[in-house]
Amino acid sequence: MVLRNLKMKKFRIWLAVAAILAFINGGIMIMQTITGSLWDGKQRINLAIGDQPLNLVSYSPAEEELVIIHLPDKLFLKVAHGYGEYLVQALPGLAELENRKELTVQTLEENFAVPIEGWITVPSTGDNVLNVLTSRLKRIGGSNLSTWDILRLWWGIRGVKTGGIKEIYLNKDGVLTEDKLDDQTMIYKLDTEKVDLLIQKYFIENRIRKERLTTQVLNATFYPGLALKASRILTNIGVEVIDVNNSELRLEKCEVKSGKNRQGSATVKKIIKIFACDWFEEKENGRAEITLILGEDYWRKLNVK
């Protein structure tokens, strides 16, 4: 009887230890999921969602707005890193073939001049964003977003009312031009000016627009056109760019300069996030309140294979 009680006591101890370990392990997994999050759940997030079809999606919790830009299969885009031009439907396959998971996102960023924080590749789910998110929660497909990000997106988007959902079909909205390949296959190409007007209409960051902080963009490399590319992105999200020029400096890594009182602004934070810059205090305000100086790292991000 004593031996039996002793065994039961040991069993209860081991059971309690196992329960504690399971609880700790579960807590660690939850913390890893949350700390690996790319989205704060509050600000607008832009995503490349789907496989075939592929859609550019923007969700704003504050405005309770969901924008879905449907990309036609015959849309021909210049692929990032010098891979040439491909039909949009071929981008996920090319990204997988080249083992560059971010290639699709970087290509859409360059062509639409808008920062894209996340991607979700789930085949055969159609155009329904909630279906894509649900499939990803079931571990189907791939994504750079954490489970916590996906869950918050699913919860937020399912609450968007019909009036807050805007679906844009590029081949019906006058932002495409028709062209033909050498074999006479009909394709679409983007009209850059009209695309920018479309992005500025639906992808503006309201906090940034309200701050109205004047910004200058400088190119601190020998590669032409970088400042113009960056200024296009910033303008499309609501940054007030007042100067685009070359810098007398030559930098390896980009820098953002502003007064210390601007360091915590939505504009400075967003610029740092988009271009992965270091921040430096600029004691004397010049022509602009914020200065973005692009370095070699930005050129490599766009061009190096």
Side-chain angles (χ1 to χ4, degrees), residues 40-239:
D40 64 4
K42 299 176 182 178
Q43 308 309 319
R44 178 181 292 277
I45 181 170
N46 303 323
L47 308 157
I49 286 186
D51 188 340
Q52 293 187 17
L54 178 65
N55 299 312
L56 179 55
V57 174
S58 183
Y59 168 59
S60 173
E63 279 81 33
E64 295 184 346
E65 177 185 80
L66 176 67
V67 179
I68 305 169
I69 297 182
H70 299 274
L71 307 181
D73 291 343
K74 292 182 179 181
L75 179 60
F76 212 54
L77 298 177
K78 182 180 179 181
V79 180
H81 301 286
Y83 283 99
E85 292 182 301
Y86 281 80
L87 290 171
V88 71
Q89 63 183 356
L91 288 179
L94 179 63
E96 184 176 352
L97 181 66
E98 295 294 329
N99 196 27
R100 301 190 74 143
K101 295 180 179 179
E102 303 294 333
L103 187 61
T104 300
V105 164
Q106 290 170 346
T107 297
L108 294 182
E109 280 185 334
E110 278 201 59
N111 285 271
F112 288 89
V114 64
I116 302 174
E117 291 82 4
W119 56 269
I120 306 170
T121 302
V122 179
S124 305
T125 49
D127 285 332
N128 191 299
V129 175
L130 282 177
N131 286 347
V132 174
L133 295 173
T134 301
S135 296
R136 184 56 199 147
L137 287 172
K138 295 176 181 178
R139 301 294 182 180
I140 299 172
S143 178
N144 67 330
L145 300 172
S146 70
T147 303
W148 179 238
D149 288 327
I150 301 288
L151 185 60
R152 285 185 296 175
L153 275 169
W154 179 86
W155 182 260
I157 289 174
R158 71 185 290 273
V160 176
K161 296 178 181 178
T162 304
I165 300 175
K166 298 175 176 60
E167 296 196 62
I168 300 163
Y169 295 86
L170 292 183
N171 52 347
K172 297 179 182 179
D173 279 79
V175 298
L176 302 179
T177 59
E178 291 188 5
D179 202 349
K180 288 184 179 180
L181 299 178
D182 292 338
D183 64 0
Q184 299 304 303
T185 300
M186 194 276 288
I187 59 169
Y188 293 115
K189 289 192 174 182
L190 295 174
D191 183 316
T192 302
E193 291 184 7
K194 291 180 179 178
V195 165
D196 286 349
L197 291 175
L198 181 72
I199 294 299
Q200 290 168 26
K201 182 177 180 180
Y202 293 109
F203 286 69
I204 284 288
E205 305 258 357
N206 285 326
R207 288 198 313 160
I208 289 174
R209 183 165 55 182
K210 288 176 182 177
E211 287 179 346
R212 299 189 64 184
L213 297 177
T214 55
T215 302
Q216 64 176 338
V217 183
L218 304 177
N219 181 1
T221 78
F222 290 109
Y223 303 104
L226 287 186
L228 194 60
K229 283 179 179 287
S231 67
R232 184 182 167 211
I233 292 174
L234 295 179
T235 300
N236 280 353
I237 63 171
V239 177

Side-chain angles (χ1 to χ4, degrees), residues 269-284:
K269 286 182 177 180
K270 191 68 176 184
I271 293 173
I272 289 173
K273 184 176 181 180
I274 293 172
F275 300 100
C277 302
D278 293 326
W279 178 83
F280 294 91
E281 183 177 0
E282 194 168 50
K283 297 185 182 297
E284 294 183 9

Side-chain angles (χ1 to χ4, degrees), residues 256-268:
V256 173
K257 295 183 177 181
S258 73
K260 196 168 185 179
N261 61 324
R262 307 294 187 194
Q263 184 181 5
S265 67
T267 307
V268 168

